[in-house]
Amino acid sequence: MTNNKVKQRTEKIVDNGQKIKALKSKFRGKLGKDALSLIEEIGYYHKSTYVHGDPHGTSVNEGLRQMVLKIHEFINMSDEEIDRRIEDKLKAIKK
């Protein structure tokens, strides 16, 4: 990997870590929890994604659900865990 590509990848990894921390802060207050509740409802968090006779519809619903699961993963991740994951990714690209 060229130095320029390493630099770009490094910047993206750090930027994504900052975005995850920002996302966490947005869902902490009452408005954030209300918004998350709506996202969970729209995103099939508490209900089946299955659409009888429509595998494509099921796939779309499952994609929505995966986004909600990823948001929850980010929210529940400690800042230390985010930093550790960033460091692990940075080490991997510098090898």
Side-chain angles (χ1 to χ4, degrees):
M1 190 179 306
T2 66
N3 285 341
N4 191 40
K5 290 209 183 250
V6 170
K7 182 181 176 192
Q8 289 174 346
R9 185 74 180 122
T10 298
E11 289 171 354
K12 183 172 180 161
I13 290 168
V14 171
D15 185 53
N16 285 347
Q18 292 169 342
K19 287 176 182 176
I20 292 169
K21 289 179 181 180
L23 181 85
K24 282 178 52 174
S25 72
K26 296 299 179 191
F27 286 106
R28 284 192 181 132
K30 174 160 177 17
L31 289 177
K33 289 178 182 177
D34 290 346
L36 184 59
S37 177
L38 177 61
I39 291 169
E40 289 172 352
E41 184 179 328
I42 293 168
Y44 297 89
Y45 187 66
H46 299 289
K47 57 187 173 183
S48 173
T49 59
Y50 178 72
V51 179
H52 181 73
D54 185 1
H56 297 291
T58 300
S59 293
V60 169
N61 293 348
E62 189 58 28
L64 291 168
R65 185 171 188 278
Q66 290 300 314
M67 285 298 297
V68 177
L69 293 172
K70 187 56 81 172
I71 290 170
H72 273 278
E73 178 185 337
F74 291 155
I75 291 170
N76 294 320
M77 201 181 300
S78 70
D79 285 351
E80 292 79 16
E81 175 65 13
I82 295 167
D83 293 339
R84 188 192 62 73
R85 288 185 182 196
I86 290 169
E87 288 301 318
D88 288 349
K89 288 181 181 182
L90 292 176
K91 286 177 189 174
I93 63 169
K94 291 178 181 176
K95 287 184 178 180

